[in-house]
Structures are given as C-alpha cells and as structure tokens.
Amino acid sequence: MSTVRRAASGPPLSRISSTRAHLVRLGFQHGDEAAADLDRLRDRVGDSADDLLKRLAGSADPDLALRSLADLLPAADRRGGGGDPLAAALCDDERLADRLVAVLGASAALGEWLVRHPDGWRELRGTDPVWSGPHRLRASVLTAVHADAGSDAPVAALPDAEAVDALRVWYRRLLLRLAADDLAGGWRLDEAAQALADLAGATLEGATAIGRARIGADLAVSCRLAVIAMGKTGGRELNYVSDVDVVFAYAPADAADEQDALRVATRLATHVVQVCSAHTAEGTIWPVDVALRPEGKTGPLVRTVASHLAYYQRWAKTWEFQALLKARPVAGDTALGRDYLAAICPLVWAAARREHFVPDVRAMRRRVVDHIPAEVVDRQLKLGPGGLRDVEFAVQLLQLVHGRDDPSVRQHSTLAALEALTARGYVGRTDGAALAESYRFLRTLEHRIQLYALHRTHLVPTDESDLRRLGRALGFFTDPGASVLEHWRQHNHEVRRLHEKLFYRPLLDTVAALPGSELRMSADAARERLAALGYADPRAALAHLETLTAGVSRTAAIQRQLLPALLAWFADGPDPDAGLLAFRTVSESLGRSHWFLRHLRDGGEGAHQLATLLASSRYVTQLVTGAPDSIAMLGDPTELVPRSRGALTAEVAAAQRRQGDPRAAVGAVRAMRRRELFRTAAADVLGLLDVDDVAQRLSDICLVTLGGALRAACRAVEAERRSPLPTRVAIVAMGRLGGHELSYASDADVMFVHVPVAGAGEQDAARAASAVAQEVGRSLAVPGADPPLSVDAGLRPEGKDGPLVRTLASYAAYYARWSSVWEAQALLRADPVIGDPEVCARFAALIEPIRWPTGGLDEDDVLEVRRIKARVDAERMPRGVDPSLHLKLGRGGLSDVEWTVQLLQLRHAHEVPGLRTPAMMEALRAATEAGLLDPGDGATLTSAWHSASRVRNAVLLARGRPGDAIPNDPRERARVAHLLGYPAEAAGRAVDDYLRTARRARAVVERVFWT
C-alpha cells in the first residue's frame, strides 16, 4: 500500500489544535504527545490511521498504545528489509490489529519487547492450537533450543548462550501471544492461568534440556530427574509474573551408582534453576523457588522418592502438606513424577488427622498477616484481609478436611476445588458461586496490574493514571479509576464475609432441618470439619448448633445469620468449645429478649467481642452468664472506658439513697461491682488495658464496693439497734488494695478502726463497731449472681486472735508497746481511705512514724526481715509446685520484688520522701531515682512485677478461679498464653519468657535484699 507523507513544512496550527481536541474526546490523556505520535503513525499507514485510532481509543491506555505502535512500525520496517509488512498487515487483518492494540495498551513491557524484537508481532497471527495441551508447548520449546522432542531425555543442540537466549525469546513470544488471547480473545481467567502454568512447565522442560547439554548427554543419562511444580504453577493457576515453585525428585538410571546419580541430579537441577533465573542480554524469565523442598533452603536440592517420603512421614509440618495439594510433575522424567505423586498423596490427605493440625493452620494464617507491612496492608490484593490468600487458604483447608474421604475434592486449582466442594455440599451453592466470582475478579485484577510492567506485585496502585488504565483494561470506561476501586472493595468485602461463612454455613444446613436447605453434609463430615477447626468435642458442638438453630422462629433465623461469623471467631480463640457452650447458655437466658440478638446482629463489633471473650476467658463467661445484660456494653468503645472512683462512688451513693432496705443497698453495690468487673475484664481480654490500668480499676472498684458496703452495714446496725451508731467507723485498705495494685485474684485486705462519739460507752461502741465490721464481711461474701468479695482482716494487730475492730487509741497503745518489724512492714501499704474522713486522717497520722521509722532500721531489724522472708518462702510454698512457676512466692516472683522494695522503704523512707507511698511501683521508681537501685536493676524488678502480675491475672481470666502458679495443664497454659498475646500453640514460649524475666529479677534480689 502507499503511505501518505507530510509536507516538509508540517501541518497548519489549526489542524494541530483540531487533532489534539479530537484525540482528547476519544479518550487520550496527553493531546500534544498523542498528536505527534498520530503523525508518526500516519507516516506508516496513511489513511488507515483513522481506523486504527478507533481501536487505540478503546484500549486500556490509548496514549501508551499509540506511542508503542508508532515506535514499533519503523522498527518492523527496518527489520523487514525495506518492505512494510506490519503496516500492511494491520490494514488487512482486523484480528491482528485488535490483538496488537489490546496488548500495547495494557502492557508497556511487552510493547518495549516488541520494539526490540519487531518480528514478534507475527506471533499474534498464530492460529495453531499451541495451547491445546502441555505436549504441544513442550514440542515447541524443544524445537526452539534444537532438542529432540521425541526423546525421553532431550538435550539442547544450540550453543549454551544461544540456547539460553533462545529460550527467553521463545518464552516472551508465547507470553505475547497468550496476553493477546487473554485481552482480545475472550479468555476466562481459568484459561489464562492454565496457559501461563503450562507455559512455565514447558519452559522448565527447555531449561532441563539445556541443563543436560551443560553436563553432557552421556553423563545426564545416569540419572532420572523429575521437576515437580508446586504452588500456582502446580495448580495450573499461575500469574503473569510470579516465582515458580518446584521440588526435584531423582532416581539412578539402570545400573548407575546412586552417589554418582545424586551428584549428576544435583548439577542438573542447579542448571535448571540458573537457566530460568539468570539475567542475560534477553533479560530473565522468572526466579525458580526451591524453598518448598523438604528442610527448606537447608535441605538437599534433590532427593529420591523414598527420601521425600521418609521426610514427610516423620518431619513435615502441616503447611508442607498444604503446599503439596498442588504438586504436579511438569518437566523431566514424567514417570518418576507420577511415582512421586503416588507416594506422597496419601500423606497429604491424612494431614487433617495430625495432632497439631489446628495450631499449625492458625499459625500459617498469622504468619501471612504478620508479614504484611502496615503501610500497604490496605492495598494488598493477595495477602491482605479479604484478599486472594483468604480464598485459597479457606479452600485448601476444606480440601484437607474433606479430601481424605472424598476424592472428588482433590483438585489442583482453587476454582476447580471450590466447584467440587460446592457440588458435594461442603460449601453452599450461593456462597460458592459468589466466592468464585470474587476470586476471578481479584485474580484478573492481579493479572492486569502485573501485565503492565511485567513486574511481580500484588499492590493495588494509587496513581490516577495507573488506576484509569487498570479500570479500562477490566472494561470500566465510565470513571474507570473509581469503578475499579469500588469493585475491588466490594469483592474484598465479599471475600471477608464469605471467608467467615465458608466453614460454617453448611454446618448449619446440616443441623437445621429447614425446607429448601442447600446440599447438606453428613453428620460425620460436619464433625470432621469442626474437629479440624479446633473444636475438641464436635459432637457436642453440633448439638449446640442444632439447639440454637432449630425451628422457624425469628430467634432461630437470626441465630442462623449470626452463627457462621460467631463460630469462626470462637475457632480463633483458645477454647472454641467453651465459647459455643457459653453462647448457647446466654442465648437461652436472653434469646427471647429482642435487644440481645438485635444488638449482636446489627453491631458486628459487639458480636465479635462477645465471641472473643467467651472463647478466651472463663472468668468473663461466668460474669456474662450470671448477668447476661452485660453484653449490652459490647460494641460501643465508650462503654469499655474506665469509670473514675469518684463517679462510681456518686453512683453507688445515689442508688443506696433510693433503697430503704439495707440489704437492697448492698445489692446495688454488688451489682455495680459485677458490672464494673465485667467492664474491666472485657477491656483487658480485648487488649484495651495494660496491667497498671487493670490494677487501678480493680482497686477503685473494690474501694467503692467497701465504702458502699460500710454505709449499708452502718444502716443495718442502726436499724437493728434502733438508734444511731455510738461510734465512727473507717476501713484501712491493706496489701495490694492499699497500694491500689489489686489483681483479679486478690482478696480485700483491710483493718477496721473506730472512734466512739462523745458520751458513748466504750463497750457499746465496740459492740456496734464489731457488728458493722462483721456485716461488711458477711454482706459481700454471700453467694449469688454477683460475685462475692472476700474481706480479709488478718493483717490486724495480733492477727486472727486479736479483736476485729479497735479504737484509734487501742491501735496507738498496741503499736507503742508491742509493734514488731513485720507489722511496720505491713503498714507500708496501709491506706485509710474508706469511711469517716476524720478517723481516716487520724489513723494515717498515727502510723506514719511506725512505717517510716526515724533513722530507718537497725541491723537486727534488717536481719529479722530477712529471717521472716526465708521462713515465708519455705513454709508457704505449696507442696508439689515447681518454685520457678509460682508467681507469688517463686524465684523472682511478686514476693521477691515486694520484700526487696519494702526493705528499701523501711531503711530509707525517713530520708527519701518519694519512698513514703503505699504503691509498690511508685516506691520502686523513687528508689531508682534516689540512687538506691541501679537503673538497670530497677527496670528488671519493674519488668518482673508487671510480668508476674499479668500472668497471674491471665491465669484467673483463663480458668475462672484464682491460681498463683502457671498451670501445668496444656490446655490451660494455651488459654493463658492466648490472653498474654501469644499464639495458643506458643504456650511454651510464654512460659520461657516469664522464667527469663524472673531469673533476672532473682539475681537483683540476691544482690539487693540478701546482701
């Protein structure tokens, strides 16, 4: 054809302006550059440029496509030896034009490759069935490297460098053709992914032929080598740009020495990896990743089938069997590859029976999420929440669970496996179709992102021009950037929703006898799934589900909506069975209350928090089952914020004023305490509080409770006496309560003090005060829906043998005559803050010189403190308990830290005002600031105190009852570890971390306290 040439003087300005405006209307973004590129195009194709322009305008990036085509045409002209075959072909062949323009508009990298290899466009004319099966691709690649396609062990005949570059050129030619089929040929995602995987397999075959040439054909025949594809290559669902995961299996050829065969196989496998991964003038193909082999990067590169089998039988972890789901021979000795699969596959389908299957699966999920940099997690198409990995992980887990008894779900690709799982009723039909649709969209989005620069990435771009090109490549031509983001977010949300439902919706169909239910699993299959997901008693779990979902009532219908997500959240906790049982108990208590299920259904965060609490903490479960209305707090961030002591005191006082009966007044106090304990424990389990916050909140709750109980007791005694009290009563907080450092397991250590009113008889006042004190203890210890509080007055003078209540004068006389060093030590943490303010102030003044003695302690008193500590350690340690695991009395535990700090207080508080505090941590900071402790030692003791306090709190939260030692039961340890922020399977690491901290503290105690 003839070409139209521009006049030397160039087109008139009016024409340039008109052309630019026309290009912008067609969708070109850069009018001036596009107009110049259009002129270059007209130089080559003349009037046909207008027809091409319409095709270019419909491409993903019209500017890129026009520029690339304008660059390609002269390069093809030069390669054509003076002719102009591409220009003529574009005018005569509409299919070629459509395919070439589609590629150039979507991939800058393939456009640049075509300019370097301008005859590559001819590949786009190809109509031979190259994608009809891996065997055709194998023949094609072996022809490219001049190897005999009919041989079982073909050897490349080209010189090495030429063969390596020929392989790269062949790969890019076929990739170009594949991209054209994908973009303009109407291929489904499945077809494109399979073709990419088959292309990778053929490339590995070509690399193997080059490797044989490198080591010599005579030597190569001494071994058989099979290349086993893993990951997406094995599953025939490969991306445009990805590492290709492989493992190698070898066998000696007939009569060959095994060690010689091993050396040859290792060399051959090494060459296969290098041929594909190395950079040459023709670039690289992709990295070959061999890290999935037994023992990973530290293991031998090649193994016999028997060696592979021995490793998987004895050493393999669950994730390795999950990886083997997609294992498929793709190159080398295919018969050996089939032997490999025959040996390994039975182990894969038995993996769900492994002892640590569930912890391993959970660990895999966490590793994926933990490795995502925080700054890109919201753009992660593959690994982020709602991403591709969520779909793949869910499908693979279901395959492992059900594939051992159902061969139909043993599929390599994610979509094929999902289709099989749906067909067999393991996934609901609607959910299966929705998940497949979302997966196809996300994978297609991934393909289009990678195709542009042929760069391995899984991040959704943020640049507007990139988003525009991406949206148009996916068919969104109206506001393409916004459209692609909207669709991505919709599918992302859908995947997250279905990921939660996927395991559990069919379970509900199985246990709920509903008309029109989708295909239902057998009871055995349902139990298998629950067991695989961490439920220790699947039979009981199914019974709970059946009870919760039975019938056609509105309550049962809402439960069926809630349970898929709740069951998933229970399974994320350390004790899903306890979570489900507690939820059933609560539901039976509140199921008829409209607010309960509505609150959980409409407030997703509240339901999530409830599931987390019930599956993590038996203590919180006890609080919830005792008063289910506490659930109303969940889901609202403001509800878990601590209430100040002043606010709680005012609330209790107001409630008590409304109550005429003293017992009802105590009931109001206990209800407040139960509610605030739930608020505190819930916030603690959910990670909203640190250990100091918990201690302060628990202390405030206890002090307000005692204050309210004291007021109610005074009213009760007055009512019984029918006269005003003849004395004023105060309560002195002692121990951890006095230091405002209470734990969940702490009793309320107190002393009672009173001062008779003027004119009252001393005996009458004493009887009244004793009655008040007894009523305080009795009213708070009575069992009931609200948890009891044990009031312990054992630290009073003369201990349990002394009077429960003393007058201020009696305390003064006792301390003046009989006080010993241990009582001064006990008074270090005394805080008179409850009851009559004047009595509290006078008691505080009385004990000041006793606990902060002028001149400190003499050496005899120091020796006495150490002697008492030694006796306590020896006599109070429970029998049979490992001392290193006892949080209170063990080496480096709470007692060690307390006694060390208290000795410093007794010796130096007279000269260091900061030590005059009942709070242990405040005193420790003051001692460090005053130079009484090395800063490093102070930090070590602080860390040990916090560590022991956190573990002690976690023990009670996990077990629902107090415990001063780390439990020996593995399940209880797992719950404790979970509450401490460790994976449940990492309980051993949690214990090791505590012991390490305690050992360091013990070394400080040895230096500071004992010497």
Side-chain angles (χ1 to χ4, degrees):
M1 63 167 284
S2 62
T3 54
V4 179
R5 303 290 181 182
R6 288 182 298 166
S9 60
L13 292 177
S14 60
R15 180 186 161 196
I16 295 174
S17 176
S18 174
T19 301
R20 182 169 57 242
H22 177 61
L23 289 169
V24 171
R25 284 195 299 273
L26 286 175
F28 290 81
Q29 295 288 291
H30 307 289
D32 290 337
E33 294 87 342
D37 291 333
L38 179 58
D39 283 340
R40 290 199 293 145
L41 181 64
R42 290 186 190 280
D43 281 345
R44 296 289 168 180
V45 300
D47 293 338
S48 297
D50 292 333
D51 290 333
L52 283 172
L53 197 60
K54 294 177 183 178
R55 289 187 169 87
L56 292 163
S59 68
D61 188 337
D63 298 82
L64 172 64
L66 175 56
R67 182 170 65 253
S68 298
L69 184 57
D71 290 341
L72 174 59
L73 282 165
D77 187 10
R78 289 190 295 273
R79 181 63 63 90
D84 206 3
L86 175 57
L90 287 173
C91 297
D92 298 336
D93 188 339
E94 291 187 0
R95 177 176 178 272
L96 169 64
D98 287 339
R99 288 159 64 81
L100 180 59
V101 167
V103 170
L104 296 180
S107 178
L110 286 176
E112 292 167 0
W113 183 85
L114 271 171
V115 172
R116 294 196 307 273
H117 300 83
D119 60 339
W121 66 267
R122 300 178 188 278
E123 194 67 44
L124 301 184
R125 276 183 154 173
T127 57
D128 59 296
V130 68
W131 307 118
S132 63
H135 60 287
R136 289 188 178 273
L137 284 170
R138 178 180 183 273
S140 175
V141 71
L142 293 177
T143 300
V145 298
H146 293 201
D148 180 6
S151 171
D152 290 336
V155 180
L158 282 176
D160 185 71
E162 290 183 32
V164 170
D165 281 345
L167 181 64
R168 280 155 173 68
V169 172
W170 173 86
Y171 176 80
R172 280 290 186 269
R173 283 180 179 274
L174 270 293
L175 188 67
L176 173 70
R177 180 169 171 179
L178 192 157
D181 288 336
D182 183 14
L183 294 164
W187 272 13
R188 302 188 314 270
L189 167 74
D190 321 43
E191 294 173 307
Q194 288 172 11
L196 284 163
D198 291 344
L199 180 59
T203 303
L204 289 165
E205 186 69 70
T208 306
I210 295 172
R212 292 194 187 98
R214 286 183 173 181
I215 63 176
D218 293 340
L219 193 57
V221 297
S222 64
C223 76
R224 302 162 60 202
L225 183 72
V227 184
I228 313 296
M230 309 283 279
K232 285 186 166 58
T233 310
R236 295 188 75 201
E237 51 186 1
L238 196 60
N239 308 330
Y240 273 96
V241 186
S242 176
D243 292 351
V244 171
D245 298 303
V246 303
V247 296
F248 296 100
Y250 85 98
D254 294 340
D257 178 77
E258 185 166 341
Q259 290 302 312
D260 290 341
L262 171 61
R263 284 190 291 270
V264 172
T266 301
R267 289 177 59 192
L268 180 53
T270 301
H271 286 309
V272 172
V273 173
Q274 291 175 345
V275 166
C276 295
S277 306
H279 288 267
T280 74
E282 289 295 342
T284 188
I285 303 178
W286 18 249
V288 175
D289 191 340
V290 293
L292 291 179
R293 67 186 187 269
E295 299 181 77
K297 295 179 180 178
T298 62
L301 183 60
V302 299
R303 288 177 182 259
T304 62
V305 171
S307 177
H308 277 281
L309 184 61
Y311 172 82
Y312 287 117
Q313 286 175 329
R314 187 171 184 181
W315 303 110
K317 297 180 175 61
T318 300
W319 70 263
E320 293 179 278
F321 292 108
Q322 188 169 351
L324 286 168
L325 281 171
K326 297 184 181 297
R328 180 174 63 92
V330 294
D333 192 302
T334 55
L336 180 61
R338 288 192 295 269
D339 291 343
Y340 171 90
L341 284 190
I344 298 301
C345 280
L347 299 181
V348 174
W349 301 115
R353 291 190 175 94
R354 292 164 59 88
E355 181 180 357
H356 300 294
F357 177 76
V358 174
D360 287 348
V361 167
R362 289 175 177 163
M364 283 187 286
R365 289 182 67 185
R366 274 190 295 272
R367 276 199 298 271
V368 169
V369 176
D370 291 346
H371 288 167
I372 307 174
E375 64 273 14
V376 299
V377 66
D378 292 333
R379 297 168 51 210
Q380 248 291 350
L381 185 62
K382 178 180 179 181
L383 303 179
L388 293 164
R389 186 57 62 84
D390 269 358
V391 182
E392 293 159 359
F393 182 90
V395 170
Q396 289 166 19
L397 183 55
L398 290 179
Q399 284 183 279
L400 287 172
V401 172
H402 300 296
R404 60 186 179 184
D405 298 317
D406 189 344
S408 70
V409 304
R410 299 177 186 178
Q411 305 292 329
H412 283 97
S413 80
T414 300
L415 287 170
L418 181 56
E419 182 180 355
L421 289 163
T422 304
R424 296 290 293 167
Y426 303 120
V427 176
R429 288 190 294 272
T430 302
D431 291 344
L435 195 65
E437 179 186 357
S438 291
Y439 185 69
R440 285 189 174 95
F441 177 85
L442 295 175
R443 284 297 308 275
T444 303
L445 178 59
E446 179 185 45
H447 279 196
R448 300 297 177 261
I449 291 171
Q450 293 183 346
L451 189 55
Y452 174 69
L454 291 180
H455 174 64
R456 184 173 183 260
T457 179
H458 306 286
L459 296 180
V460 176
T462 56
D463 182 80
E464 289 186 10
S465 61
D466 290 336
L467 288 171
R468 179 177 185 271
R469 181 187 63 254
L470 194 56
R472 288 170 63 92
L474 291 167
F476 305 123
F477 287 89
T478 300
D479 199 0
S483 295
V484 72
L485 288 177
E486 179 183 357
H487 280 74
W488 170 49
R489 293 188 182 107
Q490 287 174 354
H491 285 289
N492 184 269
H493 175 77
E494 185 72 350
V495 168
R496 294 178 73 175
R497 183 183 70 84
L498 291 171
H499 183 73
E500 295 166 355
K501 283 184 64 177
L502 194 57
F503 301 107
Y504 304 106
R505 180 82 266 163
L507 292 171
L508 303 187
D509 283 346
T510 296
V511 300
L514 297 174
S517 289
E518 298 184 358
L519 292 174
R520 293 165 61 177
M521 292 185 289
S522 68
D524 287 342
R527 286 193 291 271
E528 291 279 2
R529 180 175 295 191
L530 284 167
L533 293 167
Y535 287 82
D537 189 349
R539 191 180 301 275
L542 281 178
H544 297 324
L545 293 179
E546 188 169 5
T547 300
L548 288 166
T549 59
V552 293
S553 67
R554 181 173 178 271
T555 296
I558 297 176
Q559 292 283 22
R560 288 191 289 271
Q561 295 177 40
L562 288 170
L563 278 166
L566 288 172
L567 286 168
W569 292 327
F570 292 149
D572 286 337
D575 195 346
D577 298 81
L580 179 56
L581 173 60
F583 180 73
R584 176 182 171 179
T585 303
V586 172
S587 294
E588 289 174 346
S589 300
L590 288 176
R592 296 181 181 273
S593 302
H594 295 299
W595 70 267
F596 165 60
L597 290 176
R598 185 174 63 248
H599 178 71
L600 296 183
R601 182 194 62 194
D602 299 338
E605 183 57 26
H608 189 184
Q609 289 178 346
L610 177 63
T612 300
L613 296 171
L614 297 182
S616 303
S617 172
R618 291 187 175 178
Y619 179 72
V620 175
T621 298
Q622 291 165 5
L623 294 173
V624 170
T625 53
D629 58 321
S630 303
I631 294 169
M633 294 185 197
L634 302 177
D636 182 353
T638 62
E639 284 293 332
L640 297 182
V641 173
R643 274 42 173 176
S644 68
R645 178 148 49 111
L648 292 177
T649 299
E651 175 192 329
V652 167
Q656 289 185 318
R657 284 194 296 270
R658 293 192 296 269
Q659 303 293 338
D661 181 10
R663 291 184 179 179
V666 173
V669 175
R670 292 185 57 162
M672 176 281 303
R673 177 171 177 266
R674 184 260 307 154
R675 184 196 69 215
E676 294 306 315
L677 284 176
F678 172 81
R679 195 192 311 273
T680 300
D684 190 5
V685 172
L686 295 172
L688 304 177
L689 300 175
D690 64 25
V691 66
D692 290 329
D693 293 331
V694 171
Q696 185 61 60
R697 290 180 70 170
L698 292 174
S699 300
D700 288 346
I701 294 166
C702 189
L703 292 171
V704 174
T705 299
L706 288 169
L710 177 61
R711 286 192 296 272
C714 290
R715 287 172 56 184
V717 173
E718 285 179 336
E720 185 178 342
R721 290 170 52 89
R722 298 183 181 179
S723 64
L725 284 178
T727 190
R728 294 173 295 162
V729 183
I731 299 176
V732 182
M734 303 289 287
R736 291 190 69 138
L737 177 60
H740 297 238
E741 294 166 328
L742 216 58
S743 71
Y744 294 106
S746 301
D747 292 338
D749 290 316
V750 301
M751 294 195 303
F752 293 94
V753 59
H754 76 107
V755 175
V757 298
E762 187 172 319
Q763 294 297 320
D764 186 41
R767 283 193 297 270
S770 180
V772 167
Q774 290 175 16
E775 178 62 18
V776 168
R778 186 204 64 78
S779 64
L780 294 179
V782 173
D786 300 313
L789 173 64
S790 175
V791 179
D792 188 345
L795 292 177
R796 66 186 184 268
E798 301 179 79
K800 295 180 179 180
D801 295 329
L804 180 61
V805 188
R806 288 178 181 264
T807 63
L808 196 64
S810 175
Y811 274 106
Y814 175 84
Y815 288 133
R817 184 172 184 181
W818 303 109
S819 177
S820 60
V821 68
W822 77 263
E823 288 176 305
Q825 185 176 350
L827 289 173
L828 289 174
R829 306 188 80 179
D831 190 12
V833 291
I834 305 166
D836 188 279
E838 182 183 348
V839 176
C840 289
R842 290 174 62 186
F843 187 87
L846 168 68
I847 64 175
E848 289 299 291
I850 300 169
R851 59 179 173 176
W852 321 127
T854 302
L857 297 183
D858 58 30
E859 286 305 311
D860 288 341
D861 285 337
V862 171
L863 290 174
E864 177 66 8
V865 171
R866 290 172 177 160
R867 186 188 64 79
I868 296 173
K869 172 75 163 71
R871 193 179 71 216
V872 168
D873 289 349
E875 295 178 358
R876 295 190 182 178
M877 179 67 69
R879 297 176 65 181
V881 174
D882 182 348
S884 65
L885 298 179
H886 202 278
L887 302 163
K888 187 173 182 180
L889 301 175
R891 295 184 287 271
L894 294 168
S895 179
D896 268 359
V897 178
E898 289 174 3
W899 283 71
T900 301
V901 174
Q902 289 167 2
L903 183 58
L904 292 173
Q905 288 180 286
L906 290 168
R907 298 180 76 175
H908 302 286
H910 67 285
E911 57 188 0
V912 180
L915 291 174
R916 300 170 198 168
T917 173
M920 184 63 52
M921 288 296 97
E922 287 183 18
L924 182 52
R925 282 192 293 272
T928 304
E929 292 169 0
L932 302 175
L933 273 176
D934 177 83
D937 289 347
T940 297
L941 293 181
T942 300
S943 178
W945 169 266
H946 283 149
S947 177
S949 297
R950 287 183 66 229
V951 177
R952 194 176 185 220
N953 282 344
V955 169
L956 182 132
L957 287 171
R959 302 170 68 203
R961 62 184 188 276
D964 286 327
I966 296 174
N968 290 318
D969 182 270
R971 290 172 297 181
E972 290 187 347
R973 278 198 179 183
R975 288 197 291 270
V976 170
H978 177 81
L979 290 169
L980 294 172
Y982 294 82
E985 64 272 15
R989 179 156 56 89
V991 173
D992 289 343
D993 288 348
Y994 168 76
L995 292 176
R996 187 181 305 110
T997 302
R999 283 195 299 269
R1000 292 170 180 165
R1002 181 67 175 191
V1004 176
V1005 172
E1006 294 286 352
R1007 287 197 310 275
V1008 177
F1009 181 85
W1010 293 106
T1011 59

